[in-house]
Amino acid sequence: MAINTIIKNKTSNVVSSEGSGGDGNSSSPPPSPRRQTSGLSQCRRRLRSKVQLQYFRKDSLAAGIFVRRNIQFLLLLFFLYFSGFMMCVGRFSDFLRHSREPIAIYKSHLLLEKLWHDIETDNSTALELSSVWQFKRRMKVQKPCPVLATRRRLGSVEASSGPAGYLIVEANGGLNQQRSAICNAVAVAGILNAVLVIPSFGYNSVWKDPSEFRDIYDEDHFIATLEGYVKVVKELPDELISKYDHNITNIPHLRVEAWAPAKHYLGKVYPVLQEQGAIRIAPFANRLAMDVPSHIQLLRCITNYRALKFSAPITTLAQKLVTRMIERSSMTGGKYVSVHLRFEEDMVAFSCCLYDGGDAEKFEMHSFREKEWKGKFKGKNLDFAAGRNRIDGKCPLTPLEVGMMLRGMGFDSNTSIYLASGKIYKGEQHLAPLLKMFPLLYSKESLATSDELAPFQGYSSRLAALDYTVCLFSEVFATTHGGNFPHFLMGHRRFLFNGHAKTIKPDKRMLVGLLENMTIRYFLHQLRHSSSFISLCLLELR
């Protein structure tokens, strides 16, 4: 009886509690009977819950690690982005060091002052690079090229089918850029089986030379040398030019992509040439790839080393200058060193390098840049760029630095030097140290009389041709800042002297480091015994 009462009370309590969510008087369904479970089932349920809890903990741990790694990755990305942004602005180094000082300063003039006594007394007659003078050069015996074999292979069109048409090009730039364009024009004419019209020269705002092809090169020699390889004419035939109303600008003008391969000319240009009978390609600088078939490359070489002979006025005066240099080099057996110096005002300004002129030089170079290149350099940290360029070996060597390099290598004050250059920036000031180290210093202006030079004044390409010839026949040639002039000259000297032509091509990064050192013994030792310098200076010596 008591037990039944307790059960009823429990049941009523359960019912009232389940119905408490609504009205207390509302009825609710009876509870489900309690399920009887065995002890084994309860054990399994406890084990399952423990395993689920362990997996949950593992998943939580993995998720935490994943989140933390993602955060670290995002932070790294942000740091890299910020660093890249600062580097693009050009102030990353300044940001790290809180300094706007350039990383390198020109102080070669201070080094010369400190070491001048040692340089002056180190004038031994025994040259460290004695082999430079010992080898006796001989001009290479010129042999005829295989005309017929080459002619049969020109282009994909048989030579017997006749020319496809006339090719007209405009060579722009300075002397050696024009030379490059001429060599490429002959090569393209060979590819297209075209007749080449003597190239015209575009007027350049930098070089400001109105010279034509015949003023610089011997036209008749050019045409005769290429006979059998490529046909060259001085002008278009009347029947063809009349087709275009005697106006060359009416001839179809093609723009060819830079460094175009031979297949581009055969696939795109040749059909137009066949259809029209004549085409113009302008501009023509760097319009043919360096990698061409060997028989096309042969045309370039024949043009450069044989067909392009300077005109009679240039050749006559150049030969006189060579003879005078040999006469003035008696102390070294008639042998002299030629130096191609790129220290004209435009080169100094464009390089953004700073020298020893202080604020006045900065203002002068800034004014020159604005005049010649408008806003090209606007917004750049030029002080920082000057230091960085110097460290990277991109600054033109000054006459003083050239002199210290040559003296450090072992060339003494009795060495005759020919200076090939345009108008040196502040020439009197910058040439004084070089003249002090090498009193036998000459140039075309000092070797030729004013009357001899008068016909060449105002024509930069003709003056450059004089320099080219004197450097061509020097015993040693030193280049200081790259460019077309030394590249053409080094190849021409190799060809002319059968590989026995000595060239000094300094490692300017290394040279800057040496010029930073203030001890003459270290400077001389490094220059005379450095494998980098020796291998570069005796580039073509056997």
Side-chain angles (χ1 to χ4, degrees):
M1 184 72 178
I3 294 175
N4 291 336
T5 304
I6 293 171
I7 291 175
K8 288 180 180 178
N9 290 337
K10 284 186 176 181
T11 304
S12 62
N13 288 339
V14 170
V15 171
S16 63
S17 65
E18 287 182 355
S20 61
D23 188 358
N25 298 324
S26 63
S27 61
S28 56
S32 300
R34 188 168 184 181
R35 185 176 173 184
Q36 298 294 325
T37 57
S38 65
L40 180 60
S41 299
Q42 292 177 0
C43 181
R44 286 176 178 173
R45 191 181 298 114
R46 284 194 295 270
L47 286 172
R48 192 181 299 117
S49 62
K50 286 181 180 180
V51 171
Q52 290 175 350
L53 180 61
Q54 289 176 357
Y55 277 119
F56 175 77
R57 287 175 179 172
K58 288 181 179 179
D59 291 344
S60 300
L61 179 61
I65 294 173
F66 180 74
V67 170
R68 283 195 295 273
R69 285 184 177 177
N70 276 351
I71 292 174
Q72 292 174 353
F73 182 70
L74 290 173
L75 288 174
L76 178 61
L77 281 179
F78 174 77
F79 176 76
L80 291 174
Y81 173 80
F82 180 74
S83 302
F85 174 77
M86 295 301 295
M87 291 176 68
C88 290
V89 173
R91 301 297 178 89
F92 184 68
S93 299
D94 297 339
F95 173 76
L96 291 178
R97 293 193 299 266
H98 300 284
S99 170
R100 295 193 178 185
E101 290 297 322
I103 60 176
I105 300 174
Y106 175 81
K107 53 185 179 183
S108 300
H109 57 300
L110 302 177
L111 181 63
L112 179 64
E113 291 178 8
K114 180 177 180 179
L115 304 180
W116 172 244
H117 175 72
D118 298 291
I119 293 175
E120 191 175 27
T121 55
D122 185 55
N123 194 35
S124 57
T125 55
L127 187 67
E128 290 288 331
L129 301 176
S130 57
S131 57
V132 167
W133 304 121
Q134 287 178 357
F135 185 84
K136 294 182 179 180
R137 289 187 315 183
R138 290 187 179 90
M139 296 284 284
K140 184 174 71 172
V141 177
Q142 302 297 321
K143 298 179 181 179
C145 294
V147 179
L148 295 178
T150 303
R151 191 67 182 89
R152 283 196 297 266
R153 296 191 60 189
L154 290 178
S156 62
V157 184
E158 290 294 332
S160 59
S161 63
Y166 289 83
L167 175 64
I168 303 167
V169 301
E170 180 181 290
N172 53 338
L175 174 70
N176 291 284
Q177 190 173 350
Q178 290 171 346
R179 192 181 188 101
S180 175
I182 296 167
C183 295
N184 284 336
V186 174
V188 169
I191 293 171
L192 299 175
N193 189 30
V195 177
L196 176 66
V197 181
I198 288 285
S200 62
F201 289 166
Y203 183 81
N204 188 282
S205 60
V206 175
W207 298 100
K208 299 176 181 177
D209 189 338
S211 298
E212 296 294 338
F213 188 99
R214 63 179 176 274
D215 298 319
I216 299 176
Y217 299 107
D218 186 331
E219 281 186 336
D220 294 331
H221 177 80
F222 182 76
I223 295 171
T225 304
L226 292 174
E227 184 66 34
Y229 298 99
V230 170
K231 184 177 181 180
V232 183
V233 296
K234 295 183 180 180
E235 55 187 17
L236 290 171
D238 290 336
E239 58 272 18
L240 183 61
I241 194 65
S242 61
K243 177 182 174 182
Y244 296 101
D245 298 329
H246 296 276
N247 187 348
I248 199 171
T249 59
N250 292 333
I251 294 175
H253 175 213
L254 301 183
R255 286 191 173 273
V256 178
E257 62 185 21
W259 308 110
K263 63 181 181 181
H264 175 84
Y265 284 95
L266 290 172
K268 302 289 186 181
V269 179
Y270 181 74
V272 181
L273 178 63
Q274 263 193 323
E275 180 183 350
Q276 299 294 332
I279 58 171
R280 291 187 302 125
I281 302 179
F284 198 71
N286 305 323
R287 299 297 144 176
L288 181 61
M290 297 299 294
D291 186 14
V292 294
S294 58
H295 59 285
I296 300 299
Q297 184 63 22
L298 177 63
L299 291 179
R300 279 172 163 164
C301 294
I302 292 172
T303 304
N304 188 40
Y305 301 137
R306 294 188 178 177
L308 286 176
K309 176 186 176 183
F310 289 126
S311 62
I314 293 175
T315 302
T316 301
L317 181 55
Q319 289 176 343
K320 290 181 180 179
L321 300 184
V322 171
T323 301
R324 292 168 190 174
M325 272 305 301
I326 293 173
E327 291 172 350
R328 286 162 172 74
S329 306
S330 58
M331 294 185 181
T332 51
K335 302 179 178 67
Y336 61 92
V337 176
S338 61
V339 176
H340 181 229
L341 184 64
R342 296 307 312 273
F343 203 69
E344 300 90 349
E345 186 175 21
D346 61 329
M347 284 298 301
V348 175
F350 193 83
S351 70
C352 298
C353 296
L354 296 176
Y355 295 93
D356 56 340
D359 291 337
E361 179 186 314
K362 285 185 182 181
F363 177 78
E364 188 176 358
M365 292 294 99
H366 173 74
S367 301
F368 188 90
R369 282 189 288 265
E370 284 299 308
K371 176 185 175 183
E372 296 295 328
W373 301 291
K374 305 297 181 184
K376 182 179 177 68
F377 299 91
K378 189 176 181 180
K380 295 185 179 180
N381 184 355
L382 296 184
D383 285 357
F384 179 79
R388 184 72 260 172
N389 287 347
R390 182 162 176 78
I391 288 293
D392 291 341
K394 295 179 180 179
C395 289
L397 292 182
T398 64
L400 182 154
E401 290 171 326
V402 172
M404 292 190 69
M405 177 187 74
L406 294 176
R407 289 300 297 268
M409 290 174 65
F411 292 97
D412 61 28
S413 60
N414 294 323
T415 305
S416 297
I417 305 288
Y418 179 82
L419 202 61
S421 175
K423 185 179 180 181
I424 300 295
Y425 172 58
K426 295 187 177 179
E428 186 176 350
Q429 171 189 333
H430 286 116
L431 286 174
L434 179 60
L435 187 60
K436 190 176 182 180
M437 287 182 273
F438 292 98
L440 302 178
L441 180 66
Y442 304 98
S443 65
K444 54 186 174 290
E445 289 81 9
S446 63
L447 291 174
T449 65
S450 57
D451 291 338
E452 288 174 328
L453 274 182
F456 298 85
Q457 297 297 347
Y459 300 98
S460 59
S461 293
R462 302 183 203 183
L463 291 170
L466 295 176
D467 282 337
Y468 187 96
T469 306
V470 181
C471 292
L472 185 63
F473 292 99
S474 63
E475 186 70 18
V476 179
F477 170 66
T479 174
T480 63
H481 198 61
N484 289 316
F485 186 100
H487 290 159
F488 271 98
L489 194 62
M490 285 189 286
H492 203 160
R493 283 163 56 81
R494 279 189 178 188
F495 172 82
L496 198 62
F497 298 108
N498 204 23
H500 299 290
K502 280 80 75 175
T503 300
I504 298 175
K505 187 180 179 183
D507 183 338
K508 292 205 291 181
R509 287 186 180 183
M510 179 181 175
L511 185 59
V512 167
L514 295 178
L515 292 172
E516 292 288 325
N517 194 288
M518 301 298 282
T519 59
I520 186 64
R521 291 189 179 185
Y522 175 81
F523 178 75
L524 292 175
H525 175 80
Q526 290 297 315
L527 276 182
R528 296 181 185 183
H529 301 285
S530 166
S531 59
S532 298
F533 259 85
I534 298 300
S535 62
L536 287 170
C537 294
L538 303 182
L539 184 66
E540 303 161 45
L541 181 63
R542 295 190 205 172

